[in-house]
């Protein structure tokens, strides 16, 4: 027999629902506002009053973005560094984590102690810049890949998962003649897809959103990612030059603000589309180590 809720419980549930709806609205509406204004005529948007739907629907701001010199090159650099950087980061960090998870590794506790210290202390920007310079990574695509190949924080997440893998899997593989590398690639990685997808999502979002690396270590315009391009649009008003370079039919209907909004949508959309496909792995990966027994 179902128990009827009291009036106080019903009010409490209603307040909770309203509170969650308010939080959802406050989270989603800024994104919707940017999207709506990016699809509105730029000159018309300057009048204000656009909150829910474009008043004068137009693709001109997006045409201005994709017609601007260098943006497609920047988009290609971003896609390349996200794909290559994420694959290299996941493989290398997982490989190191697998080695550290072995109890027979000599100096294992020392490695963990030194790695933990790096979570709290760093050398600073100037020594890091000098290191990148001495490694000849300035104005090189590899500056996006090599320095970001390893993260001790992500190693800890991998360790939490690897410790739960039954040792019998490795023992059976060794009996069949498999070495450590073969065990890692053919057994450990396939059974670790939840944590692999989680780390891939973490690092993929970082690689996609990273503008600082391109701003500090890259002077070659052909190697700058889309986020650095966006930074220059927003911080240096380069969109005014962009608008001036557009054909007359486009430049009359766009503004620097409309181009900024359209660029934000273009740079954010790919990650938004990819996330739903990784969400189930992401949730499972976040639960690693939270439940014992």
């Amino acid at each position: 027999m179902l128990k009827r809720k009291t009036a106080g419980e019903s009010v409490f549930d209603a307040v909770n629902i309203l509170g969650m709806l308010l939080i959802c609205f406050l989270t989603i509406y800024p994104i919707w506002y940017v999207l709506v204004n990016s699809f509105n005529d730029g000159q018309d948007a300057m009048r204000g009053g656009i909150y829910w739907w474009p008043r004068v629907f137009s693709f001109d701001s997006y045409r201005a973005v994709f017609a601007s010199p260098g943006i497609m090159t920047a988009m290609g650099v971003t896609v390349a560094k996200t794909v290559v950087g994420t694959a290299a980061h996941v493989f290398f960090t997982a490989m190191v984590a697998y080695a550290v998870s072995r109890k027979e590794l000599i100096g294992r506790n020392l490695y963990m102690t030194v790695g933990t210290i790096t979570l709290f202390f760093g050398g600073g920007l100037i020594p890091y810049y000098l290191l990148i310079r001495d490694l000849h990574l300035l104005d090189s695509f590899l500056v996006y890949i090599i320095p970001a190949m390893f993260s001790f924080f992500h190693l800890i997440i991998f360790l939490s998962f690897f410790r739960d893998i039954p040792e019998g899997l490795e023992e059976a593989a060794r009996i069949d003649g498999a070495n450590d590398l073969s065990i890692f690639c053919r057994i450990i990685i396939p059974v670790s897809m939840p944590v692999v997808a989680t780390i891939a999502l973490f690092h993929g979002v970082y690689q996609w959103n990273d503008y600082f690396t391109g701003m500090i270590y890259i002077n070659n315009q052909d190697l700058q990612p889309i986020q650095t391009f966006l930074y220059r649009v927003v911080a240096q008003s380069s969109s005014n030059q962009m608008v001036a370079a557009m054909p007359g039919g486009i430049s009359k209907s766009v503004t620097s603000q409309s181009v900024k909004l359209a660029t934000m949508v273009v740079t954010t959309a790919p990650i938004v589309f990819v996330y739903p496909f990784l969400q189930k792995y992401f949730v499972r990966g976040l639960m690693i180590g939270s439940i014992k027994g």
Side-chain angles (χ1 to χ4, degrees), residues 112-124 152-153 156:
M112 291 298 297
T113 301
V114 173
T116 303
I117 293 174
T118 64
L119 293 176
F120 301 96
F121 302 98
F152 189 78
F153 176 72
I156 294 174

Side-chain angles (χ1 to χ4, degrees), residues 121-198:
F121 302 98
L125 179 59
I126 294 177
Y128 187 71
Y129 181 89
L130 296 177
L131 174 63
I132 295 297
R133 185 198 63 184
D134 293 341
L135 292 175
H136 304 289
L137 293 178
L138 294 179
D139 273 337
S140 171
F141 179 78
L142 292 178
V143 76
Y144 300 121
I145 310 301
I146 294 178
M149 283 182 64
F150 177 75
S151 167
F152 189 78
F153 176 72
H154 290 169
L155 177 142
I156 294 174
I157 298 177
F158 272 118
L159 275 178
S160 300
F161 191 91
F162 291 162
R163 286 169 179 166
D164 293 335
I165 297 178
E167 295 183 2
L169 287 176
E170 297 183 43
E171 294 174 358
R174 293 188 188 280
I175 292 175
D176 291 336
N179 56 27
D180 289 326
L181 183 61
S182 179
I183 293 173
F184 174 71
C185 295
R186 301 177 63 178
I187 297 178
I188 301 301
I189 290 297
V191 303
S192 305
M193 288 311 298
V195 68
V196 167
T198 301

Side-chain angles (χ1 to χ4, degrees), residues 9 30 45 52 77 79 85 125 127 129 133-134 137 178 193 217 230 274:
E9 291 175 336
W52 302 106
V77 171
V79 172
L125 179 59
Y129 181 89
R133 185 198 63 184
D134 293 341
L137 293 178
M193 288 311 298
Y217 308 111
L230 172 60
V274 168

